[in-house]
Amino acid sequence: MARTSLSRPTIADVAQAAGVSKSTVSRVLMGNLAYMRDDTRQRVEQAITALNYSPSSVARSLVTKRTHTVGLLVSDVGNPFYPEVIHSVEDVALAHGYDVFLCNTNYNPERGLQILRSLIAKQVDGVMIMSSSMSDEWVIELVKQEVPTVVLDWQISHLAGEVSTIKVDFETGVREAAAHLIELGHRRFAHISGPLNMRTSLLRRDAFLKALADFNVDPAAVVIIEGDLRIESGRKALNQLMALNPRPTAVFTANDMMALGLIWAAREVGLQIPRDLSVVGLDNIRLAAEINPPLTTIALPQSEIGRLAMESLLELFDRRKNAQEDGLALQVDTHLVIRNSTCQPGSTVDN
Amino acid sequence: MARTSLSRPTIADVAQAAGVSKSTVSRVLMGNLAYMRDDTRQRVEQAITALNYSPSSVARSLVTKRTHTVGLLVSDVGNPFYPEVIHSVEDVALAHGYDVFLCNTNYNPERGLQILRSLIAKQVDGVMIMSSSMSDEWVIELVKQEVPTVVLDWQISHLAGEVSTIKVDFETGVREAAAHLIELGHRRFAHISGPLNMRTSLLRRDAFLKALADFNVDPAAVVIIEGDLRIESGRKALNQLMALNPRPTAVFTANDMMALGLIWAAREVGLQIPRDLSVVGLDNIRLAAEINPPLTTIALPQSEIGRLAMESLLELFDRRKNAQEDGLALQVDTHLVIRNSTCQPGSTVDN
DNA sequence: CTGAAAGCGCTAACAT
DNA sequence: ATGTTAGCGCTTTCAG
């Protein structure tokens, strides 16, 4: 009769200890105290603390169909773009009583799918996808299983409306960057892109070319070097730049990591940044402000992205409850943060 | 009778579609095919794919008492120390059919406890704690709830044996660093510590002082500056160093981030690293090898830590099953990685 | 104001 | 070789 310590106490144990029924215990658990006598509530509460009882979310989920858990898929937590967005996702999640199941796909679509299926089996209430190297299959699976989903920077026409999307509008920031460089007097440009099989790499490159074209710079004259988004490839890119004649006076890298590599490599060969070469990054990672010279870069609103993602998931939960249509399409802006890695070509003056 | 698409199919739906009982379906789900006719198995499998059925882990967990999910608590995924350990935890977890619930405590013990309780309620099979700013309360809670636990770099006598621990042996690496600097000819040292209310900060500082003492350097003569482990505090530390006369010729920072800040600040005031100042970091973050000069630093075996943590959790599961005692005490080593941020005092030669 | 009973989707004896 | 049954720990009608 008495509970052994072999297993954790259940609601029945609490009920017995308090001399009430399970329903009553459940009611205080749920905060459903409308018509309850004060002393019974207290007896129940005492029993709960006495037994050190904590309800099983598993059992609860089985009946309520909700786990109060959401999945967040990222490519790699080591990527400095993520920490802030993760942080803000967690903040709003926690504030609404949700836990975040953070998963690395390691840039591996297979692994991502495996994780996804596992999350679905575990009945997460929703999923946020922020992995650049995702595959359409993921979303198809999610839609098939009717899991509320929001995905960052991804497009697929025939499923639009089924899921929510957050689009990062690179164009405004890139345009600002181009304008900034033009205004400083630059005319010869290079771009270090991400892997050109990634859609976002193309987007960024084309936005830059387009913006430049609007300032009457011939896109064909812009040197494009393909990188892989990592520091080392920024270094390599610089070497390629050095071989050019005439050399570009300004370079826009698809992310900040490559900008760092490029700047460091430049210094090692005796180039002065920004005097001999202006560089603009993208991401505005924390490090960008801490290096010398502090990096001029296009800032993404990481916190806003995280917040919006989780908020639209919550919104989706609501709609689902009301049997409404899914799928809102959101967009966030980018803007240029001017620091000291850009100046007039050949100038010795920090702008 | 026919399933509406309102809710996901259950094992009963599959059973009906295949014309068998739920048990039979469950058997093929569990791979319990010992005495099953081939054609029934096939019928079941067909029904499963036809209905696009995936079993509910929630229901399963309710009966099996296992969620195949483990929690991993870290201070902040943005800390460059973590990515590799997270990666390796996930690798071994995934290989054993476990999912990892990765959680940020944001250096906030309160929040950590909240998350922990949530994980417990969700019945994770085990928890790994790798948050420097944890509190004993966490472990007490975990032990009370009989959750298998492994914690990194933490000590509490009266609970030893209840949980597994992984201790990072800083002493060997720190000793190597001290020996290296002494051998180069350094005699005047500084140490930039972490916050002195953190146990690990004390450990690192004292290990350094002790090692130096063994080389007949008076610990009292070692300049100690308290930092906060972030880049900016490395910069500040350098300024304090500059005010000293005579200046130390070698400095050991409690982590790599501060070493970066220190090196960058040094360059900005015209100091040559390593000629004018040798610096040794700790962590061996990826960036350490990428900066100029590449940082000499004490490496922690991040991957090994992650692997060991998850493996000892699995080990704990086994023991638990056999009603064995808990709590193994593991230890990992550190070692010095010599790069180019250290050389003879005043030397122009890269070592 | 509280209790009894049914059932969430699954697994695991225990039949047969 | 497969079906029947009894729960797992909880919420939620429905009675009273």
Side-chain angles (χ1 to χ4, degrees):
Chain A
M1 204 94 303
R3 280 199 62 262
T4 69
S5 78
L6 286 179
S7 60
R8 295 175 32 189
T10 76
I11 199 173
D13 298 315
V14 177
Q16 189 179 9
V20 298
S21 73
K22 291 192 297 175
S23 329
T24 302
V25 178
S26 178
R27 283 190 190 100
V28 353
L29 255 34
M30 308 263 72
N32 204 333
L33 309 166
Y35 301 93
M36 195 176 305
R37 270 195 352 240
D38 230 50
D39 63 306
T40 52
R41 180 180 53 71
Q42 287 178 14
R43 283 217 314 286
V44 171
E45 281 166 353
Q46 282 168 17
I48 286 176
T49 54
L51 292 180
N52 191 22
Y53 167 80
S54 90
S56 155
S57 307
V58 174
R60 183 174 288 177
S61 293
L62 184 58
V63 22
T64 60
K65 308 289 188 213
R66 309 182 100 276
T67 53
H68 281 271
T69 303
V70 298
L72 174 56
L73 270 70
V74 303
S75 316
D76 170 18
V77 287
N79 183 326
F81 165 73
Y82 288 114
E84 252 188 276
V85 0
I86 293 172
H87 190 113
S88 86
V89 165
E90 284 181 332
D91 279 351
V92 2
L94 231 53
H96 290 260
Y98 284 83
D99 289 316
V100 179
F101 219 126
L102 178 55
C103 301
N104 274 304
T105 65
N106 284 306
Y107 300 99
N108 180 349
E110 300 295 315
R111 179 176 175 140
L113 193 57
Q114 183 189 355
I115 292 171
L116 213 47
R117 286 197 220 278
S118 181
L119 289 179
I120 291 173
K122 292 201 165 135
Q123 321 239 122
V124 294
D125 293 339
V127 168
M128 288 162 284
I129 299 180
M130 302 197 181
S131 177
S132 45
S133 49
M134 62 173 296
S135 91
D136 284 359
E137 220 182 328
W138 297 11
V139 181
I140 293 171
E141 184 83 16
L142 257 0
V143 168
K144 205 161 59 178
Q145 302 286 354
E146 302 180 12
V147 180
T149 299
V150 8
V151 9
L152 179 66
D153 245 328
W154 167 92
Q155 277 153 357
I156 178 174
S157 48
H158 69 96
L159 285 175
E162 300 277 340
V163 303
S164 290
T165 55
I166 298 178
K167 175 175 185 291
V168 177
D169 179 18
F170 290 111
E171 292 182 21
T172 53
V174 170
R175 180 172 309 274
E176 282 177 38
H180 170 62
L181 293 171
I182 289 284
E183 194 173 331
L184 288 171
H186 293 276
R187 291 299 177 268
R188 294 195 308 279
F189 300 91
H191 171 58
I192 320 300
S193 76
L196 290 175
N197 55 4
M198 285 175 50
R199 215 181 45 87
T200 52
S201 300
L202 268 27
L203 247 41
R204 294 174 195 188
R205 180 198 62 187
D206 294 343
F208 187 52
L209 261 24
K210 170 83 164 50
L212 251 22
D214 290 348
F215 289 108
N216 300 314
V217 174
D218 177 14
V222 176
V223 178
I224 305 283
I225 298 176
E226 179 174 0
D228 66 2
L229 298 176
R230 303 190 310 155
I231 290 181
E232 186 53 30
S233 82
R235 292 199 124 90
K236 288 212 194 93
L238 182 95
N239 291 335
Q240 297 184 48
L241 250 30
M242 293 302 287
L244 262 31
N245 195 344
R247 262 204 325 257
T249 61
V251 50
F252 164 51
T253 62
N255 76 349
D256 286 350
M257 295 298 266
M258 291 196 296
L260 299 191
L262 194 144
I263 288 176
W264 294 342
R267 172 154 45 218
E268 286 163 26
V269 300
L271 231 53
Q272 289 254 29
I273 307 287
R275 194 195 59 191
D276 301 327
L277 184 66
S278 283
V279 4
V280 176
L282 186 153
D283 269 351
N284 196 23
I285 63 178
R286 217 178 292 175
L287 220 45
E290 318 236 38
I291 63 164
N292 186 343
L295 184 66
T296 294
T297 188
I298 297 168
L300 311 200
Q302 279 102 329
S303 295
E304 192 187 356
I305 289 173
R307 184 176 55 70
L308 282 180
M310 188 61 212
E311 283 177 356
S312 24
L313 213 44
L314 293 168
E315 167 75 15
L316 243 32
F317 297 160
D318 271 358
R319 299 195 171 192
R320 191 66 56 112
K321 231 171 23 203
N322 309 338
Q324 277 185 260
E325 276 292 291
D326 290 346
L328 29 179
L330 302 174
Q331 178 164 326
V332 296
D333 267 338
T334 58
H335 68 276
L336 186 68
V337 176
I338 298 175
R339 290 197 272 249
N340 298 318
S341 65
T342 45
C343 71
Q344 300 169 9
S347 156
T348 55
V349 181
D350 284 7
N351 61 34
Chain B
M1 201 96 302
R3 280 199 61 261
T4 70
S5 78
L6 286 178
S7 60
R8 295 174 34 189
T10 75
I11 199 172
D13 298 315
V14 177
Q16 189 179 9
V20 297
S21 73
K22 291 192 298 175
S23 329
T24 302
V25 178
S26 178
R27 284 189 190 102
V28 351
L29 255 35
M30 308 263 72
N32 204 331
L33 308 166
Y35 302 92
M36 194 177 306
R37 268 193 356 236
D38 230 50
D39 65 303
T40 52
R41 179 179 53 74
Q42 286 179 14
R43 285 217 314 286
V44 171
E45 280 166 353
Q46 281 168 18
I48 286 176
T49 54
L51 292 180
N52 191 20
Y53 166 80
S54 90
S56 156
S57 307
V58 174
R60 183 175 286 176
S61 293
L62 184 58
V63 22
T64 61
K65 309 289 188 211
R66 309 181 98 279
T67 53
H68 281 272
T69 303
V70 296
L72 173 56
L73 270 70
V74 303
S75 318
D76 169 18
V77 287
N79 183 327
F81 165 73
Y82 288 115
E84 254 189 273
V85 359
I86 292 171
H87 190 113
S88 84
V89 165
E90 283 181 332
D91 278 351
V92 2
L94 230 54
H96 290 260
Y98 284 82
D99 289 316
V100 180
F101 220 126
L102 179 55
C103 302
N104 275 303
T105 65
N106 283 307
Y107 300 99
N108 179 348
E110 299 295 315
R111 180 175 173 141
L113 193 56
Q114 183 190 355
I115 291 172
L116 213 47
R117 287 198 220 278
S118 181
L119 289 179
I120 291 172
K122 292 199 165 135
Q123 322 240 121
V124 295
D125 293 339
V127 167
M128 288 163 283
I129 299 180
M130 303 196 181
S131 178
S132 46
S133 50
M134 60 173 296
S135 90
D136 285 359
E137 220 183 327
W138 296 12
V139 182
I140 293 170
E141 184 83 14
L142 256 0
V143 168
K144 205 161 60 178
Q145 302 285 355
E146 303 180 11
V147 180
T149 299
V150 7
V151 10
L152 179 66
D153 246 327
W154 167 91
Q155 277 153 356
I156 178 174
S157 47
H158 70 97
L159 285 175
E162 300 276 340
V163 304
S164 291
T165 56
I166 298 179
K167 176 175 185 289
V168 177
D169 179 18
F170 289 112
E171 294 183 20
T172 54
V174 170
R175 182 172 307 275
E176 282 177 38
H180 170 63
L181 292 171
I182 289 283
E183 195 173 332
L184 288 172
H186 292 276
R187 293 296 177 271
R188 293 196 309 279
F189 300 91
H191 171 58
I192 319 300
S193 76
L196 290 175
N197 56 2
M198 285 175 50
R199 216 182 44 88
T200 53
S201 300
L202 269 26
L203 248 41
R204 295 174 195 189
R205 180 197 63 186
D206 294 343
F208 188 53
L209 262 24
K210 170 84 163 50
L212 250 24
D214 291 347
F215 288 108
N216 299 314
V217 173
D218 177 14
V222 175
V223 178
I224 306 283
I225 298 176
E226 179 174 1
D228 66 3
L229 299 175
R230 305 191 310 155
I231 291 181
E232 186 53 32
S233 81
R235 291 200 126 89
K236 287 212 196 93
L238 181 96
N239 291 336
Q240 298 184 47
L241 250 31
M242 293 303 286
L244 262 33
N245 195 345
R247 259 203 330 256
T249 61
V251 50
F252 164 51
T253 63
N255 77 348
D256 286 350
M257 295 297 267
M258 292 195 296
L260 299 191
L262 194 143
I263 287 175
W264 293 343
R267 173 158 39 222
E268 286 163 26
V269 301
L271 233 50
Q272 289 254 26
I273 307 287
R275 193 195 60 193
D276 302 326
L277 183 66
S278 284
V279 5
V280 177
L282 186 152
D283 269 351
N284 195 24
I285 63 178
R286 217 179 292 176
L287 220 46
E290 317 236 38
I291 64 163
N292 186 344
L295 183 66
T296 294
T297 188
I298 297 169
L300 311 200
Q302 279 101 331
S303 295
E304 192 186 354
I305 290 172
R307 184 176 54 71
L308 281 179
M310 189 61 213
E311 283 177 356
S312 24
L313 212 45
L314 293 169
E315 167 75 16
L316 243 31
F317 297 162
D318 272 358
R319 299 195 172 192
R320 191 64 58 110
K321 232 172 22 202
N322 308 338
Q324 278 183 261
E325 277 292 293
D326 289 346
L328 30 177
L330 301 174
Q331 178 165 324
V332 296
D333 267 340
T334 59
H335 68 278
L336 185 68
V337 175
I338 298 176
R339 289 197 273 248
N340 298 319
S341 65
T342 46
C343 71
Q344 300 168 10
S347 156
T348 56
V349 182
D350 284 6
N351 60 36

